[in-house]
Amino acid sequence: MPQPRALITGITGQDGSHLAELLLEKEYEVHGVVRRASTERFERIEHLRDRITLHQADLLDQRSLVDAMRTANPAEIYNLAAMSFVAVSWIQPTLTAEFTGVGVTRMLEAMREVCPEARFYQASSSEMFGKVRQVPQNEMTPFYPRSPYGVAKAYGHFITVNYRESYDMHATSGILFNHEGPRRGLEFVTRKITWHAAAIKLGLEDKLRLGNLEAERDWGYAKDYVEAMWLMLQREDPQDYVIATGEAHSVRDCLEIAFDQANLDIDEHVEIDQSLKRPAEVDHLVGDAAKAKRELGWEPRTSFEQLIRLMVDADYKLLSGGGSFV
């Protein structure tokens, strides 16, 4: 049996690096798409560089995607690349629409031209639910996005559904709720909290500034979630799945666990900064992953508390000089 090939956009990100590791464990030939940049950042995949093949391409450039797919000739395509930080989508709404939304169409068109028999995974997002219409949210919950990022993700989701139904393509969307880990970018609130907890403990920082402490999210561990992506593409019948823990926690909960792990007093080190609050906030997201459990056999293995504590420990190790991506 020939070695399966997979192509991952966003391979240098949190999810992409975890997915690359998972596929390598399953003996895939792994290809990744990277954007040309003046400063290239491959920290998350540095330990994999000699085991994967990278292709320069861009979701804004159709021809480069066609060329990358033709060279990689993948059986599975995972589209994880996006303008991934919700707050920045307010600063760059048009670019977010082009990259996170229309970029999915470019991927699907390139696939239709080069490898229409491949299987396609689209990284959809719980941010599409936005101002939620029901609790918890499942695959049938209407979308009401509250940010340019959420709107762009909704476009990407529906164009994937359209190509599946119009061209009989094996195209699946995973509606993933927030998923974190030590590889999360420092701009995301969970990592911002765990990094600062470690930095304050080590005497490198003194204050942590946060916005809305009451916003609630369904947070899971990225390493658990990429397994769900793979499971979706192993099904003969492509469908869409919510991937979530089913539990909501507030930013305040995250803060309390992180500072407890670091043995720090919140009142001494945390300040509320009104400028960090968003123009339109999503107050409460919690997912119902019953379909994924039933049809994929997937469920999360890492609790919220375990996740935040392992992130604090990883950041402490990193800042102490003994760390690497885990």
Side-chain angles (χ1 to χ4, degrees):
M1 186 175 176
Q3 185 180 26
R5 289 185 178 190
L7 179 67
I8 305 170
T9 72
I11 195 169
T12 60
Q14 169 189 250
D15 291 7
S17 61
H18 280 304
L19 179 61
E21 286 174 343
L22 177 72
L23 295 177
L24 287 169
E25 287 171 11
K26 295 182 180 298
E27 300 188 344
Y28 276 65
E29 181 180 320
V30 177
H31 296 251
V33 167
V34 294
R35 302 174 73 194
R36 178 74 181 95
S38 56
T39 304
E40 296 184 331
R41 300 185 62 187
F42 296 147
E43 299 102 321
R44 296 181 182 94
I45 58 168
E46 199 60 54
H47 61 299
L48 306 174
R49 285 293 293 275
D50 61 344
R51 302 172 62 199
I52 60 179
T53 303
L54 298 180
H55 306 268
Q56 285 196 354
D58 197 310
L59 262 66
L60 301 180
D61 184 73
Q62 180 83 27
R63 179 47 47 189
S64 69
L65 298 175
V66 168
D67 291 345
M69 286 187 198
R70 188 163 282 133
T71 304
N73 190 27
E76 297 175 6
I77 299 168
Y78 296 87
N79 184 37
L80 310 186
M83 180 77 75
S84 61
F85 189 40
V86 174
V88 172
S89 77
W90 291 102
I91 300 167
Q92 297 180 310
T94 308
L95 182 60
T96 300
E98 280 286 344
F99 197 71
T100 305
V102 182
V104 184
T105 312
R106 296 190 187 99
M107 284 291 294
L108 288 163
E109 274 295 293
M111 175 180 162
R112 196 161 71 91
E113 178 181 335
V114 177
C115 48
E117 300 305 313
R119 297 185 175 190
F120 180 83
Y121 172 84
Q122 166 58 18
S124 288
S125 168
S126 60
E127 289 291 326
M128 301 186 304
F129 294 121
K131 191 175 181 179
V132 298
R133 312 321 260 165
Q134 67 182 59
V135 178
Q137 295 89 56
N138 61 31
E139 294 81 5
M140 302 306 292
T141 304
F143 298 148
Y144 194 146
R146 296 270 283 170
S147 67
Y149 172 81
V151 173
K153 278 292 187 184
Y155 175 96
H157 178 87
F158 280 123
I159 202 68
T160 302
V161 173
N162 271 257
Y163 271 66
R164 176 171 71 218
E165 296 177 351
S166 301
Y167 300 115
D168 195 29
M169 294 168 69
H170 195 295
T172 290
S173 285
I175 306 172
L176 271 58
F177 279 66
N178 293 64
H179 45 290
E180 318 294 318
R183 301 181 190 180
R184 194 56 141 155
L186 287 170
E187 68 272 25
F188 291 87
V189 69
T190 50
R191 182 76 195 290
K192 181 178 179 180
I193 289 171
T194 63
W195 187 92
H196 275 83
I200 292 168
K201 184 68 176 177
L202 288 164
L204 303 174
E205 295 282 342
D206 184 55
K207 295 295 183 184
L208 166 60
R209 291 172 177 79
L210 294 169
N212 181 9
L213 296 186
E214 307 314 317
E216 293 184 326
R217 294 290 184 275
D218 184 328
W219 275 299
Y221 185 21
K223 199 169 183 178
D224 295 345
Y225 282 38
V226 298
E227 185 179 0
M229 300 176 186
W230 177 78
L231 287 168
M232 287 179 213
L233 293 199
Q234 306 320 300
R235 284 182 57 89
E236 290 304 315
D237 176 25
Q239 295 189 38
D240 304 322
Y241 294 90
V242 163
I243 303 299
T245 70
E247 296 180 5
H249 295 275
S250 68
V251 174
R252 187 183 300 278
D253 293 337
C254 176
L255 181 62
E256 289 174 351
I257 294 169
F259 273 54
D260 178 72
Q261 184 69 7
N263 195 24
L264 294 170
D265 187 327
I266 290 173
D267 294 333
E268 290 182 14
H269 300 286
V270 177
E271 296 178 354
I272 301 302
D273 185 343
Q274 297 297 326
S275 71
L276 295 175
K277 295 185 177 181
R278 296 174 185 168
E281 183 60 87
V282 176
D283 296 316
H284 180 87
L285 289 172
V286 59
D288 175 6
K291 181 181 176 184
K293 183 177 181 179
R294 184 175 65 250
E295 298 186 6
L296 304 177
W298 180 88
E299 51 188 330
R301 294 189 295 270
T302 310
S303 73
F304 176 70
E305 182 170 342
Q306 288 172 328
L307 168 65
I308 300 306
R309 292 187 186 278
L310 76 84
M311 288 175 66
V312 172
D313 289 348
D315 278 322
Y316 189 90
K317 183 180 177 184
L318 188 70
L319 292 170
S320 299
S324 60
F325 281 107
V326 293

